Amino acid sequence: MLSHDAAEPAGQTHSDPNADGLAGVLAAHDTVRIVAARTTHLVATASQLHDCSPTVAAAFGRLLTGAALMGASLRGPERVTLQISCDGPVRGLVADAAAGGAIRGYPLAPRAERPLTTCGKFDVGGIVGRGFLHVTRTFAIGLPYTSATPLVSGEIGEDLAYFCAQSDQIPSVVAVGVLANPSGILAAGGFIAQLLPGAREEDMHVLERTVRHMPHPSSLIRQGLRPEQIALAVGAGLAPRITHRAHLRFACTCSRDRVTRMLIGLGHDDLRELGERSQPTEVVCNVCRRRYTFTPAEIRALHVAADSADGTRDTLTSG
Ligand SMILES: [Zn+2]
């Protein structure tokens, strides 16, 4: 259960042409499942959108990477949402993965900060503190299902591994990390390795030994390794084979249409008040910080629409 980040001295920049993505691997006669991800660009995008402090960017980047890893096999309308509720300065973090590699999320207190640890690392455990990790899975049919485990250390990787072992009953190793300097995110990524039913004890020992001696994934990504190379390296000695590859990107599901429906759902009194103002109404998405502006005339038109949609307001706002 590795989980570390490092702060690099200023002035060192590194551009990498590779896009974000993930690779899935099965090993040890399909009894070990490994997913590795490179999330550098999406973590950088998310951190910039939310104007995160360096330590929040590290914590948020780890959780976004965790969502990408846990959402690797999603299909159709399925989603997995990781939510940390905590008593540390960041107060809470949300990261969500949808099929097709769309990752999004937000921190509750993006500007919270903690000094670097004595070894020069981001104090992710300190900025998160104590609390719970909630994992919500949304399926193609039926209601979403949420389960939660207490945070082990607030370092995210350990907390995700603990959740998988306790709640999903799947022994797992999770390593997630963000490498950054004062000018921004240099590399981000991670891997998850899980023992499936029928896994042999000797294979587990091989995996443990490999992981213990591996450099941290954010360092490997900084060196230019691709997700499939990292996943194969984790499964070394266990006859690993690549099962899938996918792109990853930061993507929000908000739209002007959704915001319009939300405004209609406010009801008569609020819409009348907004329509009577001389200033436009601005709605900011809390996930991607995109701004949607509505003129007073547009708001008044929505007010008329709200009148005719009166009986169906609950339906309109539930999406
Ligand atoms: Zn959005």
Side-chain angles (χ1 to χ4, degrees), residues 38-40 43 177-180 184-189 217-219 221-223:
R38 178 196 151 106
T39 55
T40 308
V43 168
V178 176
L179 200 59
I185 307 294
L186 301 171
S218 58
S219 307
I221 283 159
R222 183 88 205 283
Q223 289 166 29

Side-chain angles (χ1 to χ4, degrees), residues 104 250-255 259 284-292:
R104 60 179 184 159
F250 185 90
C252 189
T253 51
C254 70
S255 65
V259 175
V284 181
C285 172
N286 67 351
V287 177
C288 69
R289 310 307 299 166
R290 191 166 160 192
R291 287 165 193 279
Y292 295 90

Side-chain angles (χ1 to χ4, degrees), residues 161-225:
Y162 184 73
F163 177 89
C164 293
Q166 293 298 311
S167 185
D168 290 348
Q169 303 285 306
I170 302 175
S172 305
V173 180
V174 180
V176 285
V178 176
L179 200 59
N181 71 11
S183 60
I185 307 294
L186 301 171
F191 65 79
I192 183 169
Q194 300 189 301
L195 299 181
L196 304 177
R200 299 185 310 171
E201 207 172 326
E202 53 262 49
D203 292 338
M204 189 181 79
H205 293 315
V206 171
L207 181 67
E208 280 175 353
R209 203 165 43 242
T210 306
V211 169
R212 202 179 314 129
H213 292 104
M214 262 180 83
H216 194 265
S218 58
S219 307
L220 296 175
I221 283 159
R222 183 88 205 283
Q223 289 166 29
L225 266 73

Side-chain angles (χ1 to χ4, degrees), residues 27-74:
H29 305 287
D30 298 354
T31 62
V32 174
R33 179 171 58 203
I34 301 159
V35 179
R38 178 196 151 106
T39 55
T40 308
H41 298 297
L42 77 90
V43 168
T45 300
S47 304
Q48 278 168 12
L49 283 172
H50 292 280
D51 191 22
C52 293
S53 74
T55 307
V56 170
F60 186 33
R62 289 184 191 182
L63 196 68
L64 288 165
T65 304
L69 295 171
M70 289 179 73
S73 51
L74 295 173

